[in-house]
Amino acid sequence: MTNTNRVFNFSAGPSMLPLDVIEDAAANLADYNGCGQSVMEMSHRSKEFGKIIEEAEADLRDLMNIPENYKVLFLQGGGTLQFAMVPLNLLRASKKADYVVAGSWGKKAYQEACKFGDIRLIASSEEDTFTYIPKFTKEDIRPDADYVYVCYNNTIYGTHMNELPDTGDIPLVADMSSCILSEEIDVTKFGVIFAGAQKNVGPAGMTIVIIREDLIGHADATVPTYLDYKVHAKNDSMYNTPPCFAIYIAGLVFKRIKEMGGLAAMHAADVEKAELLYSYIDQSKLFKSPVAKEDRSLMNVVFVTGDTDLDKKFVSDAKAEGMINLNGHRSVGGMRASIYNAMPKEGVEKLIAFMKKFEEENL
Ligand SMILES: Cc1ncc(COP(=O)(O)O)c(C=O)c1O
């Protein structure tokens, strides 16, 4: 029943999901595993859903090699709510935190945190339109900071933190919304990892939070119940009704990545796709990547022609060929091809073939 009408969607999120996951969910949509109801309808307290969420957590733990002393939470509110939950829970001693701003999402997180404590910006690449990851060392971090915050992959600007920052004993918090499950990560190096689901994980509506246990339980009494990690941890992500369907689809995606060989295999496939695209761009006379080579993202490939009208034509001509959402973020323009885990290699090959033709016709 494979649908041949599907486009290649290069959106930064929500973005493509593996077709076999969608088809599996479709086959079970009205009657999940013979239980006579869909996952959308069943009680989150039911035996069936209990199995779904337990397996999703176990598979994610397995994939990312998450140690016992970390909690895995499936929350709501997107990456954006974490911009507030992180400071509300982690500003626990000095009420100081140090932020690295390498893009708009990191800047939003920094601005939100400033409402809650003594927040310092220790590195930023904003002056250069976030075309690289700003450098910082352990010496830049205040020794009594409660945590250090970074955004690991900058969705809008197409940069990725390719070097793990050394923060010593100070917990490192990372927004991995647009790169989670695309590489092997040593979770023990982080205090908190969070990610909105709608790029590499599943449908929008679910946010993954991976948090070291000793960082839970420090929120002030004034922090709203729902924003306290302790409440969600104690209730196994079921303090209230969780985003059941999104968790179910995420669980299918986790199983699929495990079947294909885990994060090492996923990463190899992602590297292959990104290298194809970057090596074409690097030799092109029309398209340029504005991003520092050493900081390039595997997930979001940003490129420009230098002519705004030509960029617009590229995006609309590509759409007519079944390649949609190639426009850059509204704040930067140009083009951006988001080639997350679920983008097939054929999608990238088709894009490159189209870019070649466009270059020949428009140079
Ligand atoms: C890196 C990053 N962090 C946070 C967000 C905000 O996520 P949400 O829309 O889930 O709140 C986004 C959205 O694209 C993002 O790319």
PDB file of all heavy atoms in Angstrom, residues 37-73:
ATOM      1  N   GLN A  37      -9.533  -0.806  19.779  1.00  0.00           N
ATOM      2  CA  GLN A  37      -9.551   0.662  19.829  1.00  0.00           C
ATOM      3  C   GLN A  37      -8.203   1.204  19.360  1.00  0.00           C
ATOM      4  O   GLN A  37      -7.208   0.470  19.292  1.00  0.00           O
ATOM      5  CB  GLN A  37      -9.860   1.152  21.240  1.00  0.00           C
ATOM      6  CG  GLN A  37      -8.913   0.596  22.287  1.00  0.00           C
ATOM      7  CD  GLN A  37      -9.217   1.082  23.703  1.00  0.00           C
ATOM      8  OE1 GLN A  37      -9.680   2.192  23.897  1.00  0.00           O
ATOM      9  NE2 GLN A  37      -8.950   0.241  24.684  1.00  0.00           N
ATOM     10  N   SER A  38      -8.218   2.490  19.027  1.00  0.00           N
ATOM     11  CA  SER A  38      -6.951   3.080  18.571  1.00  0.00           C
ATOM     12  C   SER A  38      -6.167   3.607  19.767  1.00  0.00           C
ATOM     13  O   SER A  38      -6.732   3.812  20.850  1.00  0.00           O
ATOM     14  CB  SER A  38      -7.245   4.234  17.602  1.00  0.00           C
ATOM     15  OG  SER A  38      -7.629   5.379  18.327  1.00  0.00           O
ATOM     16  N   VAL A  39      -4.876   3.854  19.539  1.00  0.00           N
ATOM     17  CA  VAL A  39      -4.049   4.421  20.619  1.00  0.00           C
ATOM     18  C   VAL A  39      -4.575   5.808  21.000  1.00  0.00           C
ATOM     19  O   VAL A  39      -4.463   6.231  22.153  1.00  0.00           O
ATOM     20  CB  VAL A  39      -2.557   4.485  20.194  1.00  0.00           C
ATOM     21  CG1 VAL A  39      -1.704   5.150  21.271  1.00  0.00           C
ATOM     22  CG2 VAL A  39      -2.024   3.094  19.891  1.00  0.00           C
ATOM     23  N   MET A  40      -5.209   6.503  20.031  1.00  0.00           N
ATOM     24  CA  MET A  40      -5.750   7.844  20.307  1.00  0.00           C
ATOM     25  C   MET A  40      -6.906   7.794  21.289  1.00  0.00           C
ATOM     26  O   MET A  40      -7.244   8.785  21.918  1.00  0.00           O
ATOM     27  CB  MET A  40      -6.235   8.491  19.005  1.00  0.00           C
ATOM     28  CG  MET A  40      -5.120   8.838  18.055  1.00  0.00           C
ATOM     29  SD  MET A  40      -5.744   9.584  16.550  1.00  0.00           S
ATOM     30  CE  MET A  40      -6.405   8.168  15.685  1.00  0.00           C
ATOM     31  N   GLU A  41      -7.550   6.633  21.390  1.00  0.00           N
ATOM     32  CA  GLU A  41      -8.759   6.535  22.205  1.00  0.00           C
ATOM     33  C   GLU A  41      -8.519   5.871  23.564  1.00  0.00           C
ATOM     34  O   GLU A  41      -9.330   6.002  24.472  1.00  0.00           O
ATOM     35  CB  GLU A  41      -9.812   5.695  21.461  1.00  0.00           C
ATOM     36  CG  GLU A  41     -10.218   6.279  20.126  1.00  0.00           C
ATOM     37  CD  GLU A  41     -10.919   5.253  19.237  1.00  0.00           C
ATOM     38  OE1 GLU A  41     -10.321   4.201  18.951  1.00  0.00           O
ATOM     39  OE2 GLU A  41     -12.063   5.512  18.840  1.00  0.00           O
ATOM     40  N   MET A  42      -7.443   5.137  23.660  1.00  0.00           N
ATOM     41  CA  MET A  42      -7.323   4.301  24.872  1.00  0.00           C
ATOM     42  C   MET A  42      -6.860   5.109  26.092  1.00  0.00           C
ATOM     43  O   MET A  42      -6.215   6.143  25.969  1.00  0.00           O
ATOM     44  CB  MET A  42      -6.373   3.120  24.616  1.00  0.00           C
ATOM     45  CG  MET A  42      -4.954   3.487  24.378  1.00  0.00           C
ATOM     46  SD  MET A  42      -3.858   2.058  24.127  1.00  0.00           S
ATOM     47  CE  MET A  42      -4.590   1.162  22.794  1.00  0.00           C
ATOM     48  N   SER A  43      -7.221   4.621  27.258  1.00  0.00           N
ATOM     49  CA  SER A  43      -6.810   5.278  28.499  1.00  0.00           C
ATOM     50  C   SER A  43      -5.295   5.220  28.634  1.00  0.00           C
ATOM     51  O   SER A  43      -4.676   4.190  28.350  1.00  0.00           O
ATOM     52  CB  SER A  43      -7.438   4.557  29.693  1.00  0.00           C
ATOM     53  OG  SER A  43      -6.752   4.931  30.875  1.00  0.00           O
ATOM     54  N   HIS A  44      -4.732   6.325  29.094  1.00  0.00           N
ATOM     55  CA  HIS A  44      -3.285   6.301  29.331  1.00  0.00           C
ATOM     56  C   HIS A  44      -2.953   5.404  30.526  1.00  0.00           C
ATOM     57  O   HIS A  44      -1.808   5.060  30.746  1.00  0.00           O
ATOM     58  CB  HIS A  44      -2.734   7.711  29.514  1.00  0.00           C
ATOM     59  CG  HIS A  44      -3.326   8.483  30.642  1.00  0.00           C
ATOM     60  ND1 HIS A  44      -4.644   8.879  30.637  1.00  0.00           N
ATOM     61  CD2 HIS A  44      -2.789   8.923  31.797  1.00  0.00           C
ATOM     62  CE1 HIS A  44      -4.884   9.549  31.761  1.00  0.00           C
ATOM     63  NE2 HIS A  44      -3.777   9.580  32.483  1.00  0.00           N
ATOM     64  N   ARG A  45      -3.956   5.042  31.302  1.00  0.00           N
ATOM     65  CA  ARG A  45      -3.722   4.126  32.429  1.00  0.00           C
ATOM     66  C   ARG A  45      -3.967   2.658  32.037  1.00  0.00           C
ATOM     67  O   ARG A  45      -3.913   1.772  32.872  1.00  0.00           O
ATOM     68  CB  ARG A  45      -4.653   4.463  33.607  1.00  0.00           C
ATOM     69  CG  ARG A  45      -4.646   5.924  34.032  1.00  0.00           C
ATOM     70  CD  ARG A  45      -3.473   6.259  34.930  1.00  0.00           C
ATOM     71  NE  ARG A  45      -3.424   7.694  35.221  1.00  0.00           N
ATOM     72  CZ  ARG A  45      -2.328   8.367  35.519  1.00  0.00           C
ATOM     73  NH1 ARG A  45      -1.174   7.739  35.574  1.00  0.00           N
ATOM     74  NH2 ARG A  45      -2.356   9.654  35.758  1.00  0.00           N
ATOM     75  N   SER A  46      -4.296   2.428  30.764  1.00  0.00           N
ATOM     76  CA  SER A  46      -4.602   1.048  30.350  1.00  0.00           C
ATOM     77  C   SER A  46      -3.333   0.197  30.283  1.00  0.00           C
ATOM     78  O   SER A  46      -2.218   0.720  30.175  1.00  0.00           O
ATOM     79  CB  SER A  46      -5.292   1.044  28.977  1.00  0.00           C
ATOM     80  OG  SER A  46      -4.396   1.537  27.998  1.00  0.00           O
ATOM     81  N   LYS A  47      -3.542  -1.116  30.306  1.00  0.00           N
ATOM     82  CA  LYS A  47      -2.427  -2.061  30.207  1.00  0.00           C
ATOM     83  C   LYS A  47      -1.707  -1.860  28.869  1.00  0.00           C
ATOM     84  O   LYS A  47      -0.485  -1.863  28.807  1.00  0.00           O
ATOM     85  CB  LYS A  47      -3.015  -3.483  30.301  1.00  0.00           C
ATOM     86  CG  LYS A  47      -2.009  -4.603  30.378  1.00  0.00           C
ATOM     87  CD  LYS A  47      -2.650  -5.899  30.830  1.00  0.00           C
ATOM     88  CE  LYS A  47      -3.634  -6.586  29.931  1.00  0.00           C
ATOM     89  NZ  LYS A  47      -3.772  -6.772  28.599  1.00  0.00           N
ATOM     90  N   GLU A  48      -2.504  -1.666  27.801  1.00  0.00           N
ATOM     91  CA  GLU A  48      -1.906  -1.530  26.458  1.00  0.00           C
ATOM     92  C   GLU A  48      -1.000  -0.302  26.392  1.00  0.00           C
ATOM     93  O   GLU A  48       0.117  -0.365  25.900  1.00  0.00           O
ATOM     94  CB  GLU A  48      -2.987  -1.402  25.368  1.00  0.00           C
ATOM     95  CG  GLU A  48      -3.736  -2.677  25.056  1.00  0.00           C
ATOM     96  CD  GLU A  48      -4.896  -2.930  26.027  1.00  0.00           C
ATOM     97  OE1 GLU A  48      -5.150  -2.070  26.907  1.00  0.00           O
ATOM     98  OE2 GLU A  48      -5.550  -3.986  25.893  1.00  0.00           O
ATOM     99  N   PHE A  49      -1.514   0.840  26.891  1.00  0.00           N
ATOM    100  CA  PHE A  49      -0.678   2.036  26.793  1.00  0.00           C
ATOM    101  C   PHE A  49       0.523   1.934  27.737  1.00  0.00           C
ATOM    102  O   PHE A  49       1.624   2.405  27.409  1.00  0.00           O
ATOM    103  CB  PHE A  49      -1.462   3.341  27.033  1.00  0.00           C
ATOM    104  CG  PHE A  49      -0.587   4.529  26.735  1.00  0.00           C
ATOM    105  CD1 PHE A  49      -0.283   4.855  25.416  1.00  0.00           C
ATOM    106  CD2 PHE A  49       0.014   5.250  27.751  1.00  0.00           C
ATOM    107  CE1 PHE A  49       0.594   5.898  25.117  1.00  0.00           C
ATOM    108  CE2 PHE A  49       0.895   6.297  27.466  1.00  0.00           C
ATOM    109  CZ  PHE A  49       1.174   6.626  26.150  1.00  0.00           C
ATOM    110  N   GLY A  50       0.324   1.300  28.871  1.00  0.00           N
ATOM    111  CA  GLY A  50       1.439   1.096  29.809  1.00  0.00           C
ATOM    112  C   GLY A  50       2.604   0.401  29.113  1.00  0.00           C
ATOM    113  O   GLY A  50       3.770   0.769  29.281  1.00  0.00           O
ATOM    114  N   LYS A  51       2.260  -0.588  28.294  1.00  0.00           N
ATOM    115  CA  LYS A  51       3.299  -1.327  27.575  1.00  0.00           C
ATOM    116  C   LYS A  51       3.971  -0.411  26.528  1.00  0.00           C
ATOM    117  O   LYS A  51       5.190  -0.443  26.355  1.00  0.00           O
ATOM    118  CB  LYS A  51       2.650  -2.551  26.907  1.00  0.00           C
ATOM    119  CG  LYS A  51       3.626  -3.511  26.302  1.00  0.00           C
ATOM    120  CD  LYS A  51       2.952  -4.883  26.087  1.00  0.00           C
ATOM    121  CE  LYS A  51       3.878  -5.887  25.429  1.00  0.00           C
ATOM    122  NZ  LYS A  51       4.072  -5.742  24.009  1.00  0.00           N
ATOM    123  N   ILE A  52       3.153   0.397  25.869  1.00  0.00           N
ATOM    124  CA  ILE A  52       3.699   1.293  24.833  1.00  0.00           C
ATOM    125  C   ILE A  52       4.732   2.251  25.447  1.00  0.00           C
ATOM    126  O   ILE A  52       5.847   2.401  24.950  1.00  0.00           O
ATOM    127  CB  ILE A  52       2.559   2.094  24.150  1.00  0.00           C
ATOM    128  CG1 ILE A  52       1.726   1.174  23.247  1.00  0.00           C
ATOM    129  CG2 ILE A  52       3.105   3.280  23.348  1.00  0.00           C
ATOM    130  CD1 ILE A  52       0.466   1.810  22.671  1.00  0.00           C
ATOM    131  N   ILE A  53       4.369   2.884  26.545  1.00  0.00           N
ATOM    132  CA  ILE A  53       5.281   3.904  27.115  1.00  0.00           C
ATOM    133  C   ILE A  53       6.505   3.239  27.753  1.00  0.00           C
ATOM    134  O   ILE A  53       7.630   3.729  27.631  1.00  0.00           O
ATOM    135  CB  ILE A  53       4.532   4.874  28.071  1.00  0.00           C
ATOM    136  CG1 ILE A  53       5.421   6.097  28.402  1.00  0.00           C
ATOM    137  CG2 ILE A  53       4.032   4.213  29.324  1.00  0.00           C
ATOM    138  CD1 ILE A  53       4.692   7.250  29.072  1.00  0.00           C
ATOM    139  N   GLU A  54       6.284   2.077  28.376  1.00  0.00           N
ATOM    140  CA  GLU A  54       7.443   1.382  28.977  1.00  0.00           C
ATOM    141  C   GLU A  54       8.437   0.943  27.903  1.00  0.00           C
ATOM    142  O   GLU A  54       9.644   1.079  28.063  1.00  0.00           O
ATOM    143  CB  GLU A  54       6.977   0.132  29.728  1.00  0.00           C
ATOM    144  CG  GLU A  54       6.647   0.408  31.173  1.00  0.00           C
ATOM    145  CD  GLU A  54       5.926  -0.771  31.812  1.00  0.00           C
ATOM    146  OE1 GLU A  54       6.240  -1.925  31.449  1.00  0.00           O
ATOM    147  OE2 GLU A  54       5.041  -0.507  32.649  1.00  0.00           O
ATOM    148  N   GLU A  55       7.916   0.413  26.822  1.00  0.00           N
ATOM    149  CA  GLU A  55       8.813  -0.032  25.739  1.00  0.00           C
ATOM    150  C   GLU A  55       9.519   1.157  25.090  1.00  0.00           C
ATOM    151  O   GLU A  55      10.690   1.069  24.729  1.00  0.00           O
ATOM    152  CB  GLU A  55       8.034  -0.823  24.678  1.00  0.00           C
ATOM    153  CG  GLU A  55       7.806  -2.257  25.091  1.00  0.00           C
ATOM    154  CD  GLU A  55       7.178  -3.089  23.969  1.00  0.00           C
ATOM    155  OE1 GLU A  55       7.240  -2.698  22.793  1.00  0.00           O
ATOM    156  OE2 GLU A  55       6.603  -4.139  24.295  1.00  0.00           O
ATOM    157  N   ALA A  56       8.781   2.259  24.928  1.00  0.00           N
ATOM    158  CA  ALA A  56       9.396   3.447  24.312  1.00  0.00           C
ATOM    159  C   ALA A  56      10.579   3.889  25.175  1.00  0.00           C
ATOM    160  O   ALA A  56      11.670   4.160  24.662  1.00  0.00           O
ATOM    161  CB  ALA A  56       8.373   4.568  24.158  1.00  0.00           C
ATOM    162  N   GLU A  57      10.363   3.948  26.473  1.00  0.00           N
ATOM    163  CA  GLU A  57      11.462   4.384  27.353  1.00  0.00           C
ATOM    164  C   GLU A  57      12.631   3.385  27.309  1.00  0.00           C
ATOM    165  O   GLU A  57      13.798   3.776  27.188  1.00  0.00           O
ATOM    166  CB  GLU A  57      10.970   4.564  28.794  1.00  0.00           C
ATOM    167  CG  GLU A  57      12.134   4.953  29.682  1.00  0.00           C
ATOM    168  CD  GLU A  57      11.787   5.263  31.131  1.00  0.00           C
ATOM    169  OE1 GLU A  57      10.621   5.584  31.423  1.00  0.00           O
ATOM    170  OE2 GLU A  57      12.712   5.183  31.969  1.00  0.00           O
ATOM    171  N   ALA A  58      12.303   2.106  27.370  1.00  0.00           N
ATOM    172  CA  ALA A  58      13.363   1.090  27.372  1.00  0.00           C
ATOM    173  C   ALA A  58      14.168   1.149  26.069  1.00  0.00           C
ATOM    174  O   ALA A  58      15.404   1.056  26.077  1.00  0.00           O
ATOM    175  CB  ALA A  58      12.753  -0.297  27.579  1.00  0.00           C
ATOM    176  N   ASP A  59      13.466   1.319  24.949  1.00  0.00           N
ATOM    177  CA  ASP A  59      14.165   1.368  23.660  1.00  0.00           C
ATOM    178  C   ASP A  59      15.037   2.620  23.540  1.00  0.00           C
ATOM    179  O   ASP A  59      16.147   2.571  23.006  1.00  0.00           O
ATOM    180  CB  ASP A  59      13.157   1.291  22.496  1.00  0.00           C
ATOM    181  CG  ASP A  59      12.587  -0.117  22.338  1.00  0.00           C
ATOM    182  OD1 ASP A  59      13.269  -1.086  22.740  1.00  0.00           O
ATOM    183  OD2 ASP A  59      11.456  -0.257  21.823  1.00  0.00           O
ATOM    184  N   LEU A  60      14.527   3.740  24.049  1.00  0.00           N
ATOM    185  CA  LEU A  60      15.332   4.968  24.002  1.00  0.00           C
ATOM    186  C   LEU A  60      16.573   4.822  24.890  1.00  0.00           C
ATOM    187  O   LEU A  60      17.681   5.211  24.510  1.00  0.00           O
ATOM    188  CB  LEU A  60      14.496   6.182  24.445  1.00  0.00           C
ATOM    189  CG  LEU A  60      15.231   7.525  24.379  1.00  0.00           C
ATOM    190  CD1 LEU A  60      15.612   7.870  22.935  1.00  0.00           C
ATOM    191  CD2 LEU A  60      14.391   8.655  24.969  1.00  0.00           C
ATOM    192  N   ARG A  61      16.381   4.231  26.072  1.00  0.00           N
ATOM    193  CA  ARG A  61      17.515   4.000  26.971  1.00  0.00           C
ATOM    194  C   ARG A  61      18.572   3.126  26.304  1.00  0.00           C
ATOM    195  O   ARG A  61      19.776   3.380  26.398  1.00  0.00           O
ATOM    196  CB  ARG A  61      17.048   3.308  28.263  1.00  0.00           C
ATOM    197  CG  ARG A  61      16.376   4.239  29.234  1.00  0.00           C
ATOM    198  CD  ARG A  61      16.043   3.511  30.529  1.00  0.00           C
ATOM    199  NE  ARG A  61      15.509   4.445  31.491  1.00  0.00           N
ATOM    200  CZ  ARG A  61      16.239   5.237  32.281  1.00  0.00           C
ATOM    201  NH1 ARG A  61      17.551   5.193  32.262  1.00  0.00           N
ATOM    202  NH2 ARG A  61      15.661   6.075  33.106  1.00  0.00           N
ATOM    203  N   ASP A  62      18.092   2.111  25.621  1.00  0.00           N
ATOM    204  CA  ASP A  62      18.968   1.193  24.929  1.00  0.00           C
ATOM    205  C   ASP A  62      19.734   1.897  23.802  1.00  0.00           C
ATOM    206  O   ASP A  62      20.956   1.795  23.701  1.00  0.00           O
ATOM    207  CB  ASP A  62      18.041   0.109  24.338  1.00  0.00           C
ATOM    208  CG  ASP A  62      18.731  -1.205  24.242  1.00  0.00           C
ATOM    209  OD1 ASP A  62      19.768  -1.356  24.900  1.00  0.00           O
ATOM    210  OD2 ASP A  62      18.240  -2.071  23.488  1.00  0.00           O
ATOM    211  N   LEU A  63      18.985   2.638  22.990  1.00  0.00           N
ATOM    212  CA  LEU A  63      19.586   3.333  21.842  1.00  0.00           C
ATOM    213  C   LEU A  63      20.660   4.325  22.282  1.00  0.00           C
ATOM    214  O   LEU A  63      21.734   4.399  21.697  1.00  0.00           O
ATOM    215  CB  LEU A  63      18.514   4.130  21.098  1.00  0.00           C
ATOM    216  CG  LEU A  63      17.710   3.462  20.012  1.00  0.00           C
ATOM    217  CD1 LEU A  63      16.642   4.426  19.504  1.00  0.00           C
ATOM    218  CD2 LEU A  63      18.602   3.039  18.845  1.00  0.00           C
ATOM    219  N   MET A  64      20.338   5.108  23.315  1.00  0.00           N
ATOM    220  CA  MET A  64      21.246   6.189  23.724  1.00  0.00           C
ATOM    221  C   MET A  64      22.165   5.772  24.859  1.00  0.00           C
ATOM    222  O   MET A  64      22.954   6.577  25.337  1.00  0.00           O
ATOM    223  CB  MET A  64      20.450   7.434  24.134  1.00  0.00           C
ATOM    224  CG  MET A  64      19.734   8.099  22.972  1.00  0.00           C
ATOM    225  SD  MET A  64      18.890   9.630  23.449  1.00  0.00           S
ATOM    226  CE  MET A  64      20.264  10.727  23.817  1.00  0.00           C
ATOM    227  N   ASN A  65      22.018   4.508  25.281  1.00  0.00           N
ATOM    228  CA  ASN A  65      22.856   4.013  26.374  1.00  0.00           C
ATOM    229  C   ASN A  65      22.730   4.920  27.607  1.00  0.00           C
ATOM    230  O   ASN A  65      23.727   5.396  28.158  1.00  0.00           O
ATOM    231  CB  ASN A  65      24.306   3.937  25.872  1.00  0.00           C
ATOM    232  CG  ASN A  65      25.121   2.975  26.695  1.00  0.00           C
ATOM    233  OD1 ASN A  65      24.555   2.218  27.490  1.00  0.00           O
ATOM    234  ND2 ASN A  65      26.425   3.030  26.555  1.00  0.00           N
ATOM    235  N   ILE A  66      21.494   5.145  28.019  1.00  0.00           N
ATOM    236  CA  ILE A  66      21.217   6.078  29.122  1.00  0.00           C
ATOM    237  C   ILE A  66      21.409   5.344  30.454  1.00  0.00           C
ATOM    238  O   ILE A  66      20.762   4.331  30.705  1.00  0.00           O
ATOM    239  CB  ILE A  66      19.772   6.633  29.014  1.00  0.00           C
ATOM    240  CG1 ILE A  66      19.580   7.363  27.675  1.00  0.00           C
ATOM    241  CG2 ILE A  66      19.454   7.553  30.186  1.00  0.00           C
ATOM    242  CD1 ILE A  66      18.159   7.789  27.366  1.00  0.00           C
ATOM    243  N   PRO A  67      22.305   5.855  31.304  1.00  0.00           N
ATOM    244  CA  PRO A  67      22.577   5.149  32.570  1.00  0.00           C
ATOM    245  C   PRO A  67      21.381   5.159  33.523  1.00  0.00           C
ATOM    246  O   PRO A  67      20.491   6.003  33.408  1.00  0.00           O
ATOM    247  CB  PRO A  67      23.742   5.940  33.178  1.00  0.00           C
ATOM    248  CG  PRO A  67      24.242   6.840  32.123  1.00  0.00           C
ATOM    249  CD  PRO A  67      23.125   7.062  31.153  1.00  0.00           C
ATOM    250  N   GLU A  68      21.425   4.239  34.474  1.00  0.00           N
ATOM    251  CA  GLU A  68      20.360   4.072  35.490  1.00  0.00           C
ATOM    252  C   GLU A  68      20.068   5.344  36.270  1.00  0.00           C
ATOM    253  O   GLU A  68      18.943   5.571  36.686  1.00  0.00           O
ATOM    254  CB  GLU A  68      20.820   3.008  36.510  1.00  0.00           C
ATOM    255  CG  GLU A  68      20.821   1.596  35.990  1.00  0.00           C
ATOM    256  CD  GLU A  68      19.438   0.976  36.100  1.00  0.00           C
ATOM    257  OE1 GLU A  68      18.897   1.004  37.209  1.00  0.00           O
ATOM    258  OE2 GLU A  68      18.927   0.484  35.075  1.00  0.00           O
ATOM    259  N   ASN A  69      21.118   6.131  36.512  1.00  0.00           N
ATOM    260  CA  ASN A  69      20.912   7.312  37.358  1.00  0.00           C
ATOM    261  C   ASN A  69      20.393   8.530  36.578  1.00  0.00           C
ATOM    262  O   ASN A  69      20.518   9.664  37.028  1.00  0.00           O
ATOM    263  CB  ASN A  69      22.188   7.683  38.125  1.00  0.00           C
ATOM    264  CG  ASN A  69      23.318   8.101  37.208  1.00  0.00           C
ATOM    265  OD1 ASN A  69      23.465   7.566  36.105  1.00  0.00           O
ATOM    266  ND2 ASN A  69      24.131   9.044  37.631  1.00  0.00           N
ATOM    267  N   TYR A  70      19.829   8.261  35.415  1.00  0.00           N
ATOM    268  CA  TYR A  70      19.166   9.321  34.651  1.00  0.00           C
ATOM    269  C   TYR A  70      17.695   8.954  34.492  1.00  0.00           C
ATOM    270  O   TYR A  70      17.374   7.791  34.237  1.00  0.00           O
ATOM    271  CB  TYR A  70      19.773   9.478  33.252  1.00  0.00           C
ATOM    272  CG  TYR A  70      21.089  10.222  33.237  1.00  0.00           C
ATOM    273  CD1 TYR A  70      22.243   9.629  33.735  1.00  0.00           C
ATOM    274  CD2 TYR A  70      21.172  11.518  32.731  1.00  0.00           C
ATOM    275  CE1 TYR A  70      23.456  10.313  33.733  1.00  0.00           C
ATOM    276  CE2 TYR A  70      22.385  12.201  32.719  1.00  0.00           C
ATOM    277  CZ  TYR A  70      23.516  11.591  33.226  1.00  0.00           C
ATOM    278  OH  TYR A  70      24.709  12.274  33.211  1.00  0.00           O
ATOM    279  N   LYS A  71      16.824   9.952  34.629  1.00  0.00           N
ATOM    280  CA  LYS A  71      15.400   9.743  34.359  1.00  0.00           C
ATOM    281  C   LYS A  71      15.120  10.133  32.919  1.00  0.00           C
ATOM    282  O   LYS A  71      15.719  11.076  32.388  1.00  0.00           O
ATOM    283  CB  LYS A  71      14.541  10.638  35.264  1.00  0.00           C
ATOM    284  CG  LYS A  71      14.522  10.193  36.706  1.00  0.00           C
ATOM    285  CD  LYS A  71      13.506   9.080  36.903  1.00  0.00           C
ATOM    286  CE  LYS A  71      13.440   8.688  38.370  1.00  0.00           C
ATOM    287  NZ  LYS A  71      12.976   7.326  38.576  1.00  0.00           N
ATOM    288  N   VAL A  72      14.203   9.400  32.294  1.00  0.00           N
ATOM    289  CA  VAL A  72      13.738   9.761  30.960  1.00  0.00           C
ATOM    290  C   VAL A  72      12.291  10.221  31.109  1.00  0.00           C
ATOM    291  O   VAL A  72      11.460   9.483  31.640  1.00  0.00           O
ATOM    292  CB  VAL A  72      13.808   8.551  30.003  1.00  0.00           C
ATOM    293  CG1 VAL A  72      13.131   8.870  28.668  1.00  0.00           C
ATOM    294  CG2 VAL A  72      15.254   8.134  29.776  1.00  0.00           C
ATOM    295  N   LEU A  73      12.002  11.438  30.681  1.00  0.00           N
ATOM    296  CA  LEU A  73      10.640  11.970  30.810  1.00  0.00           C
ATOM    297  C   LEU A  73      10.085  12.281  29.428  1.00  0.00           C
ATOM    298  O   LEU A  73      10.800  12.790  28.559  1.00  0.00           O
ATOM    299  CB  LEU A  73      10.649  13.256  31.644  1.00  0.00           C
ATOM    300  CG  LEU A  73      11.361  13.193  33.008  1.00  0.00           C
ATOM    301  CD1 LEU A  73      11.393  14.564  33.657  1.00  0.00           C
ATOM    302  CD2 LEU A  73      10.676  12.171  33.919  1.00  0.00           C
TER     303      LEU A  73
END
